[in-house]
Amino acid sequence: MTKVGVLGAQGRMGAEVCRAVEGAGDMELVAAVDQGDALDALSAAEVVVDFTHPGVVMENLRWCVERGLHAVVGTTGFDPSRLDTVRSWLTGESSGNVLIAPNFGIGAVLMMHFAQKAAPFFESVEIVETHHPHKADAPSGTAYRTAELVAAARAEAGVAPSPDATTSGVEGARGADVDGVRVHAVRMSGAVAHQEVVLGGHGELFTIRHDSMNRESFMPGVLLAVRKVPELERLTVGIEALLGL
Ligand SMILES: NC(=O)C1=CN([C@@H]2O[C@H](COP(=O)(O)OP(=O)(O)OC[C@H]3O[C@@H](n4cnc5c(N)ncnc54)[C@H](O)[C@@H]3O)[C@@H](O)[C@H]2O)C=CC1
Ligand SMILES: O=C(O)C1=N[C@H](C(=O)O)C[C@H](O)C1
């Protein structure tokens, strides 16, 4: 039985993770911690799962790394500089692996993978993500990561930046620029988590779309990560490798 602790246990995702862990025959929920609770209860865990907030996740993760606990992190906000910081913490510790994934949905991971594959074949590519209006960060971690993957694939293939003749307009109208890829964030009541990667050129448009209909959809990926994290590299980003992608 793997002993699992959950950080952000009263949140939308954390509560779902607690239910999933309790329902898994090979796991035991040993700590369910939320804001204001002491972290000490997590010392009983082998793997800590964090779904909290981009503003607090680094502090939580450092606490886990210092104690040699394996960490599975779904909280967003990990740019390259944060990942470098986590790497530097891990080099100073002898045990405990960290897996950080912007999205644990199997379909979402495939959407990112297919977008990366398609990106060099089209002149233009932009990303449109839609989320519930309670979301703290924009663009979403998934959109940010997709843009990074798409940009890297295009750079490797020597593809020029997407054409854009805009010289005047209202600020923000063209979305955020992530590594040269435009990302548009919609916040919409009734939505859960949705993303379209739109690619275009030579008289055709190709849209890769993924919809998370509920938070249960992320649980197979989270449980897979909990099971695999002890045997991974010190730092793994995304669950692609766990799916053989
Ligand atoms: N990787 C993935 O597949 C997914 C990632 N997310 C990300 O997970 C994060 C959380 O999302 P939600 O559950 O919707 O948010 P939420 O706001 O419903 O839950 C966050 C919980 O963390 C708690 N919290 C805040 N500070 C804390 C601290 N210092 N220690 C312990 N608990 C603390 C809050 O009280 C709250 O209960 C976001 O960054 C979101 O983008 C969300 C869905 C899927
Ligand atoms: O906040 C959410 O809900 C989600 N956050 C993650 C993100 O920012 O990409 C994953 C998913 O989109 C749901």
Side-chain angles (χ1 to χ4, degrees):
M1 293 283 258
T2 305
K3 293 180 166 50
V4 181
V6 177
L7 263 164
Q10 287 176 28
R12 286 176 286 270
M13 282 296 290
E16 198 66 57
V17 174
C18 290
R19 276 191 286 279
V21 168
E22 283 174 326
D26 57 344
M27 294 179 199
E28 182 189 357
L29 183 68
V30 293
V33 171
D34 204 272
Q35 193 162 22
D37 297 337
L39 298 183
D40 295 345
L42 296 167
S43 302
E46 294 161 76
V47 180
V48 174
V49 181
D50 184 301
F51 280 96
T52 55
H53 188 281
V56 301
V57 65
M58 289 298 276
E59 210 179 309
N60 291 340
L61 192 45
R62 182 162 202 169
W63 188 94
C64 293
V65 169
E66 283 174 354
R67 281 152 190 82
L69 301 172
H70 299 301
V72 169
V73 180
T75 307
T76 44
F78 282 88
D79 58 12
S81 109
R82 279 191 167 197
L83 292 173
D84 282 345
T85 302
V86 176
R87 264 184 215 103
S88 74
W89 293 342
L90 286 165
T91 53
E93 303 293 336
S94 57
S95 61
N97 299 334
V98 174
L99 185 152
I100 299 169
N103 203 311
F104 286 97
I106 308 297
V109 174
L110 288 169
M111 175 252 304
M112 288 191 266
H113 184 72
F114 296 149
Q116 185 183 10
K117 292 280 176 213
F121 295 97
F122 293 86
E123 198 173 24
S124 296
V125 55
E126 302 208 4
I127 298 169
V128 186
E129 57 97 332
T130 302
H131 279 80
H132 58 91
H134 310 290
K135 185 165 177 57
D137 55 320
S140 72
T142 307
Y144 191 97
R145 179 76 180 140
T146 310
E148 287 182 327
L149 294 170
V150 159
R154 286 165 75 85
E156 197 183 327
V159 178
S162 299
D164 182 358
T166 311
T167 51
S168 70
V170 177
E171 198 188 334
R174 294 288 296 116
D177 180 331
V178 179
D179 289 355
V181 177
R182 290 283 158 187
V183 182
H184 310 268
V186 178
R187 295 293 171 264
M188 186 66 56
S189 290
V192 179
H194 317 264
Q195 181 168 300
E196 283 188 357
V197 182
V198 186
L199 304 112
H202 301 286
E204 57 177 350
L205 289 182
F206 177 38
T207 304
I208 304 169
R209 182 180 173 99
H210 177 261
D211 296 276
S212 302
M213 312 307 289
N214 54 46
R215 291 178 180 83
E216 222 182 307
S217 65
F218 301 106
M219 294 307 119
V222 172
L223 296 184
L224 176 67
V226 169
R227 289 185 182 109
K228 293 284 183 193
V229 68
E231 62 203 57
L232 295 175
E233 303 284 312
R234 299 306 306 282
L235 175 63
T236 302
V237 179
I239 61 164
E240 290 85 342
L242 282 62
L243 301 175
L245 294 173

